[in-house]
């Protein structure tokens, strides 16, 4: 499967989404991995995880990079040896990356009812506007909120940050595609622009929520 979707957000920011329909062998034959990456791939027990991992390499190749250009810091945050920032996500049969001159984070999640059961573990401020009685909307909004907090955490990537206590997502409408969020952690206060949209495939059931954030 070629690229599922490309989003040119602005002149310096692009999002690429890959729908993972290929077998492991098909993907593996189309990428070149450095030794460290190969060892990491070999250590993965799930073939779905392996295919997602390889799909990310396909995506960075689409952007003109190779696996040799992609590195991870001590906390697992990906980076390039240039002024482009990168963030990575994968969920079931999708993988996505965002590459930008700005500090960015990305997350993609399948909308699932079970998110209601863990809502109290990552929401606090947001309870002021969430309405659990409207179940479909509640699930969709919770998925956006989780994705926003995950994307922001990927940007800051600091030990001790709590989704519930330190990241606040402002009220938003599912009819729109953007909101604001803030991080209050120790003496640090940072604001973020958050963008979200739904992603669906004809090949697989379910609706996914794609969220990406920019640090102001």
């Amino acid at each position: 499967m070629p690229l599922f979707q490309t989003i040119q957000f602005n002149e310096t920011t692009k999002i690429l989404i890959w729908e993972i329909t290929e077998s492991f062998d098909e993907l593996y034959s189309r990428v070149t991995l450095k030794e460290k990456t190969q060892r990491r791939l070999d250590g993965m027990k799930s073939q779905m995880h392996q295919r997602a991992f390889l799909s990310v390499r396909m995506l960075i190749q689409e952007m003109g990079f190779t696996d040799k250009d992609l590195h991870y810091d001590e906390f697992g945050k990906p980076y390039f040896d240039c002024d482009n920032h990168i963030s990575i996500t994968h969920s079931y049969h999708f993988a996505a990356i965002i590459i930008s001159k700005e500090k960015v984070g990305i997350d993609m999640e399948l909308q699932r009812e079970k998110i209601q059961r863990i809502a109290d573990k990552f929401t606090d401020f947001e309870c002021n506007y969430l309405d659990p009685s409207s179940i479909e909307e509640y699930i969709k909004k919770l998925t956006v909120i989780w994705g926003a907090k995950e994307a922001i955490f990927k940007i800051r990537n600091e030990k001790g940050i709590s989704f519930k206590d330190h990241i606040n997502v402002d009220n938003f409408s599912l009819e729109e595609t953007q909101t604001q969020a803030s991080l209050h952690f120790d003496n640090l206060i940072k604001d973020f622009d958050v963008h979200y949209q739904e992603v669906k495939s004809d090949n697989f059931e379910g609706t996914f929520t794609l969220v990406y954030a920019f640090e102001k």
Side-chain angles (χ1 to χ4, degrees), residues 6-16 63 83-85 98-104 178 193 195 197 212-215:
T6 300
I7 303 167
Q8 185 72 53
F9 181 80
N10 58 31
E11 289 184 1
T12 64
T13 305
K14 185 179 283 191
I15 299 112
L16 285 76
M63 288 293 293
D83 59 354
N84 281 298
H85 297 275
I98 185 168
I99 294 179
S100 178
K101 299 293 185 185
E102 303 175 62
K103 292 182 179 179
V104 291
Q178 182 178 356
D193 287 323
H195 301 263
Q197 66 185 70
Y212 44 101
F214 297 84
E215 183 177 304

Side-chain angles (χ1 to χ4, degrees), residues 119-130 142 145 149 162-169:
D120 64 334
K121 300 197 181 300
F122 68 90
T123 60
D124 184 16
F125 168 84
E126 298 79 17
C127 294
N128 294 317
Y129 62 79
L130 286 169
L142 284 174
I145 291 165
K149 295 189 178 195
S162 161
F163 283 18
K164 180 174 182 173
D165 300 328
H166 300 137
I167 306 175
N168 297 336
V169 179

Side-chain angles (χ1 to χ4, degrees), residues 127-171:
C127 294
N128 294 317
Y129 62 79
L130 286 169
D131 179 11
S133 67
S134 179
I135 295 177
E136 183 178 358
E137 178 179 296
Y138 185 50
I139 292 169
K140 288 177 181 289
K141 282 198 166 187
L142 284 174
T143 309
V144 171
I145 291 165
W146 174 268
K149 295 189 178 195
E150 185 71 45
I152 289 166
F153 181 78
K154 287 179 179 180
I155 295 172
R156 298 307 309 182
N157 206 39
E158 295 178 41
K159 186 177 180 180
I161 291 176
S162 161
F163 283 18
K164 180 174 182 173
D165 300 328
H166 300 137
I167 306 175
N168 297 336
V169 179
D170 290 354
N171 194 5

Side-chain angles (χ1 to χ4, degrees), residues 51-196:
R51 289 163 66 205
F53 186 78
L54 292 172
S55 296
V56 168
R57 271 70 199 163
M58 294 295 295
L59 289 170
I60 65 171
Q61 286 180 180
E62 290 282 342
M63 288 293 293
F65 295 94
T66 70
D67 180 61
K68 290 183 179 180
D69 301 312
L70 183 64
H71 310 284
Y72 294 85
D73 68 15
E74 60 182 312
F75 302 109
K77 183 177 180 178
Y79 68 93
F80 289 131
D81 286 326
C82 63
D83 59 354
N84 281 298
H85 297 275
I86 180 172
S87 185
I88 293 168
T89 186
H90 43 79
S91 180
Y92 292 89
H93 298 283
F94 282 109
I97 63 170
I98 185 168
I99 294 179
S100 178
K101 299 293 185 185
E102 303 175 62
K103 292 182 179 179
V104 291
I106 193 170
D107 190 55
M108 195 169 188
E109 300 288 341
L110 176 65
Q111 295 174 10
R112 295 183 290 176
E113 290 187 2
K114 78 174 195 176
I115 197 171
Q116 298 172 92
R117 300 200 298 268
I118 61 168
D120 64 334
K121 300 197 181 300
F122 68 90
T123 60
D124 184 16
F125 168 84
E126 298 79 17
C127 294
N128 294 317
Y129 62 79
L130 286 169
D131 179 11
S133 67
S134 179
I135 295 177
E136 183 178 358
E137 178 179 296
Y138 185 50
I139 292 169
K140 288 177 181 289
K141 282 198 166 187
L142 284 174
T143 309
V144 171
I145 291 165
W146 174 268
K149 295 189 178 195
E150 185 71 45
I152 289 166
F153 181 78
K154 287 179 179 180
I155 295 172
R156 298 307 309 182
N157 206 39
E158 295 178 41
K159 186 177 180 180
I161 291 176
S162 161
F163 283 18
K164 180 174 182 173
D165 300 328
H166 300 137
I167 306 175
N168 297 336
V169 179
D170 290 354
N171 194 5
F172 60 96
S173 168
L174 294 172
E175 304 304 315
E176 304 294 334
T177 60
Q178 182 178 356
T179 188
Q180 307 294 311
S182 58
L183 170 68
H184 302 256
F185 180 61
D186 290 340
N187 296 319
L188 177 72
I189 299 176
K190 287 288 183 179
D191 295 318
F192 302 84
D193 287 323
V194 175
H195 301 263
Y196 50 91

